[in-house]
Amino acid sequence: MQMLRFTLPLLAGLLLTACSSEPIKKPVKGENFNSAELGQTASNRMANLAMRDNLASLQTLLDKLYRRNPSQWRNGGHDSRETAVHQIMQAIRLNQPLPQLGKVRSTAALTTAFDPQFTGDRAGTLVFGLGSMLVDVYGGRTELYLVHGLNAQQLENAAYNVEVAAWLLGQRKNADGSLMLLANEISPQQRNLSFEREMSKIMARLELLAEVSDEKVRRSAIDFGQSLLAAPLLQFIPVQAATSAVPAP
C-alpha cells in the first residue's frame, strides 16, 4: 500500500509546522480494565483504539469548523454550536441517521457537503459523512470483538476518501469565489493547519489498520509456528526451587 509512506511523513510535517495553537505534550495513559476486553483480540483492541481516536479527531474537526463557520450550525437548525456537535457525534456513535439528511450518509453525505446546490449544514454533513463511513467500515459498530474483522481494502478506500475530503475542504468554492467552508489558513498574520492535521491523523490510523489487517492471516500463521518452536523450551520447575524461594517467617 503506497499511501502510508506519504501519509505518515505528511502527518509528521504538519505536527512540526506552525499552527494556530502550540503543540501540547500528552502523557500516555491507558484506559481502565473493562471486562468486555476479554472478548477482544489484540487486533480488535488496536482497531477499537483507532476508532476512539478517530471519533475524537472528528469531534475536534467539527468544533473547529463551526467556530470558523458559525452560519453552518444555524443552517442545520441547531440552537448552539455545542448542541450541533453533540447531536452529530451522537448520531455517528449510535449509527443513526441525521434528521436533516434523511437516509444520506457515508460517501453520499460527503458528496452532499460539497454540492453547490446544498443549502444545509455543510460542516455537519461533512463530518457526519466521514464518521458514518468509518462506522460502515467497522460493520455498523464502533467496537470490534472476536467474531469481527476488518477489510484491508475498505480501510484503504476510507483513508483515500478522507484525503479527498481534505483536498476539497481547501479547494471547493461557491459561485462568488469564496470557499464553501473556511478551514486551513496561511497568511502573513496567521498559519493555521490544524484542520489538515486532524484529517491527517485519521488517514494515518486508517492506513496503519489497513496494513495490519492485510497481514492478519500471515501473522496468525507465524504466531502459531512460533508457539510450536517455543514449546520444547518450556520446562517444569522443581517444587523445591519454588518453596526455597519463599522467605522464612
Side-chain angles (χ1 to χ4, degrees), residues 169-228:
L169 186 60
Q171 299 293 326
R172 192 57 61 90
K173 297 181 179 180
N174 296 308
D176 60 3
S178 62
L179 287 170
M180 287 185 173
L181 288 171
L182 296 177
N184 299 310
E185 180 181 5
I186 300 179
S187 66
Q189 294 77 28
Q190 180 170 276
R191 184 179 178 87
N192 179 7
L193 297 176
S194 58
F195 296 86
E196 187 79 23
R197 179 172 60 183
E198 289 300 330
M199 299 188 83
S200 293
K201 288 179 182 179
I202 298 173
M203 283 187 280
R205 295 183 192 114
L206 290 172
E207 283 290 335
L208 181 57
L209 279 180
E211 295 282 358
V212 172
S213 298
D214 190 48
E215 293 184 356
K216 182 172 60 176
V217 175
R218 185 172 79 247
R219 284 306 315 174
S220 297
I222 292 174
D223 291 343
F224 178 73
Q226 289 174 339
S227 66
L228 293 179

Side-chain angles (χ1 to χ4, degrees), residues 69-99:
N69 306 269
S71 62
Q72 294 302 314
W73 60 261
R74 297 188 180 96
N75 290 344
H78 302 288
D79 296 328
S80 65
R81 185 186 77 251
E82 293 81 5
T83 301
V85 171
H86 174 76
Q87 179 180 340
I88 292 170
M89 294 308 302
Q90 190 77 347
I92 293 172
R93 290 189 171 94
L94 298 180
N95 195 24
Q96 296 176 344
L98 275 183

Side-chain angles (χ1 to χ4, degrees), residues 92-109:
I92 293 172
R93 290 189 171 94
L94 298 180
N95 195 24
Q96 296 176 344
L98 275 183
Q100 56 268 38
L101 292 179
K103 295 183 179 180
V104 176
R105 56 181 286 117
S106 190
T107 53

